[in-house]
Amino acid sequence: MATNINSSLRIHGIPAFQDNYIWAIDNGQYALVVDPGDAKPVIDYLKRLHLNLSTILITHHHGDHTGGIEELTQYFAPTIYGPDKEHIKGVNVSVNPHDSIHIPQLDLNFTILDFAGHTKGHIGYYTEGILFCGDTLFSAGCGRIFEGSAAELFSALNTIKQLPQDTQIYCAHEYTQNNLQFALEVEPNNSALQHYAKHVDELRFNKHATIPTLLSQELLINPFLRTDQESLQQALQQRFSEIDTDPLALFTFLREWKNIYPSLPIRNK
Ligand SMILES: [Zn+2]
């Protein structure tokens, strides 16, 4: 599943654990990996292609994103970038939202984005047309709120919405098929969503990845990006007559509902 980013760089998803993707960019000589939760599949990949690991990007501190750091540094001497707000062993360059970093080996620049919400210091890495968003946005869904607030995660998703529409979103998990069940529960009459769900069923049936996903596509089908849309607001109003249709209130409602889905939301307001 390697694809070319431009004439000199390609990107590849290294499967790890049950449903993680460790994203790797290389130019045939040097490689960068994002969130290596497990070292072994990364080492196998790098050895097979005779690549030298120059760079690791870390989005947040969870073990399935950081667990491979220590072993990788026994084989390679990468520069390891990670969020300043989270203390992650092995990170040697701490970065903050709005920073820019340059990766000389791959001639790539990334802008650091503030994605607090899933964890307190979660960050994203954006380079022209490509976003590594860790556990912030998934196709047709979003991350759980473990340490931050709903308002923070909502703000992170709004930051993603402001990126160019043709941004390819490289999230860290293959959760799409499961997320689509919930999305269809929220917006059963969304024809773009129905169409996409069929497409994803075919991809998964053939064991293909559904990631990366395109921002323009997510805006049509991801309920967590659509709480400002009248069609979604109306669909929820029809079902839950008392619901507050303020976009953040709806986002909070959907996130809480998704946590317990397929149970129905318990509303105490
Ligand atoms: Zn996580």
Side-chain angles (χ1 to χ4, degrees), residues 59-65 118-119 122 134-135 138 144 146 173:
T59 62
H60 68 295
H61 69 83
H62 285 158
D64 64 323
H65 297 250
H118 176 70
T119 63
H122 198 307
D135 288 351
F138 299 119
R144 281 176 184 259
F146 284 120
H173 290 276

Side-chain angles (χ1 to χ4, degrees), residues 26-231:
D26 79 271
N27 61 1
Q29 185 181 7
Y30 291 105
L32 160 163
V33 296
V34 184
D35 287 350
D38 192 6
K40 189 172 183 308
V42 176
I43 292 167
D44 288 349
Y45 178 74
L46 297 173
K47 280 192 175 165
R48 185 153 54 83
L49 294 178
H50 308 288
L51 297 168
N52 184 359
L53 183 65
S54 67
T55 314
I56 296 177
L57 305 181
I58 300 291
T59 62
H60 68 295
H61 69 83
H62 285 158
D64 64 323
H65 297 250
T66 57
I69 292 176
E70 194 175 347
E71 196 178 337
L72 286 169
T73 56
Q74 290 165 12
Y75 290 84
F76 306 97
T79 305
I80 307 174
Y81 298 87
D84 190 30
K85 276 194 190 155
E86 298 186 359
H87 298 289
I88 299 162
K89 203 172 166 221
V91 166
N92 44 38
V93 183
S94 294
V95 291
N96 284 291
H98 312 299
D99 285 354
S100 291
I101 59 172
H102 178 64
I103 315 298
Q105 294 88 346
L106 300 170
D107 194 23
L108 269 178
N109 295 301
F110 287 95
T111 303
I112 311 303
L113 302 175
D114 183 357
F115 284 171
H118 176 70
T119 63
K120 204 73 195 152
H122 198 307
I123 54 174
Y125 296 85
Y126 177 78
T127 187
E128 232 165 286
I130 290 177
L131 173 69
F132 296 113
C133 66
D135 288 351
T136 297
L137 184 82
F138 299 119
S139 183
C142 71
R144 281 176 184 259
I145 298 164
F146 284 120
E147 297 169 10
S149 64
E152 283 175 322
L153 187 57
F154 184 68
S155 162
L157 297 188
N158 279 330
T159 299
I160 294 176
K161 283 166 82 167
Q162 284 155 23
L163 295 173
Q165 297 259 312
D166 60 354
T167 298
Q168 299 274 358
I169 299 172
Y170 290 84
C171 56
H173 290 276
E174 180 63 64
Y175 288 160
T176 314
Q177 210 169 19
N178 179 281
N179 285 340
L180 282 166
Q181 286 175 21
F182 178 72
L184 280 166
E185 177 94 23
V186 176
E187 281 192 284
N189 300 319
N190 177 337
S191 59
L193 182 55
Q194 294 162 352
H195 186 79
Y196 186 60
K198 271 192 196 142
H199 174 61
V200 164
D201 283 345
E202 280 169 29
L203 285 174
R204 296 309 293 154
F205 181 78
N206 293 306
K207 306 213 180 332
H208 292 146
T210 67
I211 310 300
T213 181
L214 201 59
L215 177 55
S216 57
Q217 174 71 21
E218 291 303 313
L219 293 171
L220 297 175
I221 59 106
N222 190 323
F224 296 97
L225 299 179
R226 293 175 50 77
T227 60
D228 58 348
Q229 297 293 308
E230 219 170 293
S231 53

